Amino acid sequence: AIEAYLKEFPASKDIISATMVKAPVIKKDKNTNKTDKTDKKEDDNRAADDGAICPPLEDAVDGKVVTRFPPEPSGYLHIGHAKAVLLNQYYAQRYNGRLIVRFDDTNPNKEKDEYEQAIISDLASLGVVASQVTHTSDSFAIIEEYAKQLIKDGLGFMDDTNQEQMQAERMEHKESKRRNTSIDENLRIFDRLLAGDSEYTHYCLRAKIDMKSLNGTMRDPVLYRSNTETPHHRTGYKYKAYPTYDFACP
């Protein structure tokens, strides 16, 4: 997909090339294991001489910088993805760190193995070598436990408000009628949601944050929703409800 894009838009090669400059490696004092400030300055100067335009990361510790590239396998990569992953690889290499490629596969309705394989192929075409490749689905079981703990702490509630009304209430800073449901009842409904019980598939788990907030994303966002009909491209029908990106991938 990336190769086809570059054929259609050849000028984009210059943008990618500017990001693909080999990152300088920061030196460390063998005795103290600390970065030598003089060497760091030399590395920054050398980076500039080599054509790199990326500034150093403030307070970065050599060997401990971890960057990530989190594509959703719901489509093909575009030029914005290429810039993002190359920038992350640049800093991981520059500080002898790690680049994690994590597939955010939380929505079976949109995601396919076809897209994941295309992304892997495109990353190889760009010369991207990940230190580790993971999937959000690797952690579905533990994310369920975190969701239950959230409910037990009184920070989450089950809501069956329809989508249109929920959107209107969030715009009006209005709390859901289900917001003060008891913890025990919320846990019971959440368990039924996870089990795929047809009487509860219209429920979702929402975070109890601040409906008065000027930041709309803080007005009790949805954290879990049902999906019993579409198989996940990696886990099949094992799970009946899935975390949203907001919950699984901060």
Side-chain angles (χ1 to χ4, degrees):
I2 290 291
E3 292 177 348
Y5 185 96
L6 292 178
K7 287 181 180 179
E8 185 174 357
F9 303 101
S12 299
K13 291 182 179 179
D14 295 335
I15 300 175
I16 292 180
S17 297
T19 316
M20 292 184 72
V21 176
K22 185 176 181 181
V25 176
I26 291 182
K27 302 175 183 178
K28 291 190 295 184
D29 185 289
K30 294 182 179 179
N31 297 319
T32 65
N33 200 40
K34 293 182 178 180
T35 301
D36 183 273
K37 292 184 178 180
T38 301
D39 289 336
K40 183 178 184 298
K41 184 176 181 180
E42 291 177 355
D43 285 327
D44 291 341
N45 290 337
R46 184 166 64 254
D49 291 340
D50 289 341
I53 57 175
C54 301
L57 297 179
E58 186 176 352
D59 298 326
V61 177
D62 185 61
K64 294 187 177 181
V65 171
V66 179
T67 62
R68 69 174 182 177
F69 176 63
E72 180 184 8
S74 59
Y76 302 107
L77 295 187
H78 52 66
I79 194 68
H81 288 117
K83 291 166 63 180
V85 71
L86 290 171
L87 186 63
N88 278 282
Q89 176 165 263
Y90 171 87
Y91 280 116
Q93 291 178 343
R94 180 169 179 173
Y95 292 98
N96 296 302
R98 301 170 61 231
L99 167 64
I100 298 175
V101 172
R102 187 197 64 223
F103 286 98
D104 286 334
D105 52 344
T106 61
N107 189 349
N109 285 337
K110 295 182 178 181
E111 298 151 359
K112 298 179 181 179
D113 183 65
E114 170 192 344
Y115 295 134
E116 181 172 327
Q117 296 308 314
I119 290 171
I120 292 173
S121 176
D122 283 342
L123 292 180
S125 298
L126 291 170
V128 173
V129 179
S131 305
Q132 183 180 4
V133 177
T134 67
H135 298 74
T136 300
S137 57
D138 295 335
S139 302
F140 278 168
I142 193 171
I143 293 174
E144 287 184 358
E145 295 306 313
Y146 283 135
K148 292 179 181 179
Q149 188 60 53
L150 196 75
I151 295 173
K152 292 176 183 178
D153 292 340
L155 300 175
F157 66 99
M158 300 302 297
D159 196 358
D160 62 349
T161 303
N162 67 63
Q163 186 175 5
E164 184 176 345
Q165 182 179 343
M166 185 185 299
Q167 183 177 12
E169 289 178 349
R170 294 184 74 192
M171 292 295 291
E172 297 168 4
H173 300 250
K174 182 180 179 181
E175 294 184 356
S176 166
K177 63 182 180 181
R178 303 294 189 191
R179 198 173 196 268
N180 296 311
T181 301
S182 71
I183 290 176
D184 288 343
E185 179 65 3
N186 280 323
L187 285 172
R188 186 189 71 81
I189 297 175
F190 186 62
D191 283 338
R192 300 319 304 156
L193 181 78
L194 296 180
D197 190 324
S198 60
E199 293 186 13
Y200 295 91
T201 54
H202 60 294
Y203 274 87
C204 66
L205 171 64
R206 295 178 65 182
K208 188 184 291 187
I209 305 180
D210 182 8
M211 287 299 290
K212 303 300 181 183
S213 175
L214 295 179
N215 183 346
T217 60
M218 302 300 288
R219 299 176 202 151
D220 296 1
V222 173
L223 303 183
Y224 248 92
R225 72 283 199 214
S226 171
N227 190 331
T228 60
E229 298 180 357
T230 307
H232 189 281
H233 73 281
R234 295 186 74 239
T235 62
Y237 289 101
K238 180 178 180 179
Y239 297 96
K240 311 300 182 183
Y242 297 88
T244 60
Y245 178 89
D246 288 344
F247 186 48
C249 310

